[in-house]
Amino acid sequence: MRSRFLRSGAGPATVLACCTGLAACSGAPGVATKPANAGSTDATVVVKAAPVSRQLTAYAQVRPIVPVRVRVAEAGAITATRVLPGAAVRAGEVLATLGGPQIDALIARREGAVNGARARSAAARHLLAIARQRVALDLDTRQAVLVAQSDLATARAQLMAATAELRAANALRTLRAPATGRVLAVDAADGERVSVGQTVITLCADDQLWVRAAYYGADAGAIRVGMTGVFRPGAGDSPVPVRVVAVVASQAADGGEVVGLAEVHAAGASPRPNDRWIAGERGIVTIDAGSRSMVAVPTDALVLYQARWFVLVETPSGIERREVVPGPVRGWQTFVEGGLHAGERVLAQNAYLEFHRDIAAHYTPPD
């Protein structure tokens, strides 16, 4: 054996080195080895509290506060409709006309009243002229002139009233837009008979629009009238500052609470003339609900297990699983709403491996 090593060129130093390496590989006593399950204390961090602004975000839609309904004030039939749903209209624009025997008879009565009042006014004026001539010839007294003047004033007042009633009757023939906006619905077709008070056209006024959003859960309870926010239209238009003007007390069928927001104008600024909201426009509204103190942890420290979130907290007795409620995310950190206190140390590296370290003892794969 000795002669074989010497012939191959292996000296005593080489043999000693090989024996030392074999001893180390076999885990011989006297060689320090790190256990596989040893925890690394340098992987923990101390969590701290910081103020976090609370932003409540929800999908929203531009909707009319109250729809404007154009109704008929006299029974008749629709003879000509000039608009369709979705059409833009201006205040005073003709939308439809009303005809039929009822409106024709009404206008005929009003015209007869005007003609009668005009004839009485002319007769009273002629009698007043005669009374003045008789007083000038000392054939009558001053009292007769005063009576004739009173009769003329009464006849003129009746003529003015009859004329106003005729104009009102003629105005009933034409249905006009009471405000600038868009047509939401046309409820009566041409030739259809309508009764007094029936809605013919429904409008959405441009100056009666607001943003409606639905919030749920704790977010709904945190919103108050007067809070401000921003509405970002889905079409990519510029953000619009808004303010909460109404919070509906009763909840919707899906459990949400409706919040109404109006546009906020700067002091002395006029409404946007070329950038008006459009009824039905959708987007995202974000309400600023103030700030509160929350504990920030590295996002890598969170472990999701059975639909619940956990962190591993280092305690004097060892690593402890702690259930938490995650909140908003800022960069690489997640703010925790509950379950953790400032000053505690949490495991920030290999949290999933440490959490499921003993998974083999609780789970056996099927054959």
Side-chain angles (χ1 to χ4, degrees):
M1 185 71 176
R2 176 182 176 84
S3 61
R4 186 179 306 161
F5 273 111
L6 292 176
R7 283 196 297 267
S8 62
T14 304
V15 176
L16 180 62
C18 292
C19 294
T20 306
L22 290 173
C25 293
S26 60
V31 178
T33 59
K34 185 178 180 180
N37 59 352
S40 57
T41 57
D42 56 346
T44 60
V45 296
V46 178
V47 296
K48 299 180 180 180
V52 181
S53 60
R54 190 178 184 184
Q55 305 289 332
L56 307 179
T57 303
Y59 290 101
Q61 183 180 15
V62 178
R63 300 185 60 180
I65 300 176
V66 178
V68 179
R69 294 178 174 84
V70 181
R71 308 175 187 268
V72 292
E74 185 66 30
I78 301 299
T79 57
T81 304
R82 302 185 182 183
V83 294
L84 295 174
V89 297
R90 295 185 176 276
E93 182 177 344
V94 177
L95 305 178
T97 56
L98 182 67
Q102 293 91 341
I103 190 70
D104 293 340
L106 175 64
I107 292 177
R109 290 196 299 270
R110 296 289 187 267
E111 290 177 347
V114 169
N115 293 334
R118 185 177 292 113
R120 288 191 295 272
S121 177
R125 187 183 306 107
H126 183 65
L127 292 176
L128 176 60
I130 293 175
R132 287 174 176 172
Q133 291 178 358
R134 290 174 63 84
V135 170
L137 297 174
D138 293 333
L139 298 177
D140 209 339
T141 62
R142 183 66 179 173
Q143 183 67 26
V145 175
L146 296 177
V147 172
Q149 289 177 345
S150 177
D151 294 341
L152 177 60
T154 301
R156 286 178 176 177
Q158 292 175 352
L159 176 60
M160 293 176 61
T163 303
E165 290 177 354
L166 177 60
R167 286 197 299 265
N170 286 324
L172 296 179
R173 282 187 177 273
T174 305
L175 303 180
R176 299 180 180 271
T180 301
R182 291 182 178 272
V183 178
L184 294 180
V186 178
D187 303 311
D190 289 350
E192 182 177 349
R193 298 184 63 84
V194 291
S195 58
V196 178
Q198 182 176 341
T199 300
V200 177
I201 296 174
T202 304
L203 302 178
C204 171
D206 288 343
D207 58 350
Q208 294 294 323
L209 296 177
W210 66 353
V211 177
R212 290 187 61 181
Y215 285 87
Y216 302 85
D219 291 350
I223 298 178
R224 299 290 184 271
V225 174
M227 289 183 174
T228 58
V230 177
F231 173 67
R232 294 177 174 84
D237 297 336
S238 58
V240 181
V242 293
R243 181 175 60 88
V244 178
V245 296
V247 178
V248 180
S250 59
Q251 292 186 342
D254 59 354
E257 191 168 276
V258 177
V259 178
L261 305 101
E263 182 178 359
V264 177
H265 301 291
S270 58
R272 301 169 296 157
N274 300 323
D275 192 18
R276 292 185 178 273
W277 283 342
I278 299 176
E281 185 178 15
R282 299 177 182 270
I284 296 177
V285 63
T286 302
I287 299 177
D288 184 7
S291 62
R292 56 177 174 170
S293 180
M294 301 177 66
V295 177
V297 301
T299 303
D300 292 341
L302 295 172
V303 179
L304 180 62
Y305 179 68
Q306 294 184 351
R308 295 184 297 174
W309 290 96
F310 295 87
V311 295
L312 299 178
V313 182
E314 187 182 59
T315 63
S317 59
I319 298 297
E320 174 188 340
R321 293 181 179 182
R322 187 80 59 79
E323 184 177 356
V324 296
V325 180
V329 179
R330 300 291 186 271
W332 297 100
Q333 289 186 327
T334 299
F335 288 91
V336 176
E337 296 184 359
L340 199 61
H341 302 284
E344 294 183 309
R345 300 187 69 92
V346 299
L347 186 65
Q349 295 182 8
N350 299 326
Y352 266 94
L353 295 178
E354 185 67 27
F355 189 90
H356 299 289
R357 177 175 297 279
D358 57 347
I359 189 174
H362 300 84
Y363 174 76
T364 302
D367 294 335

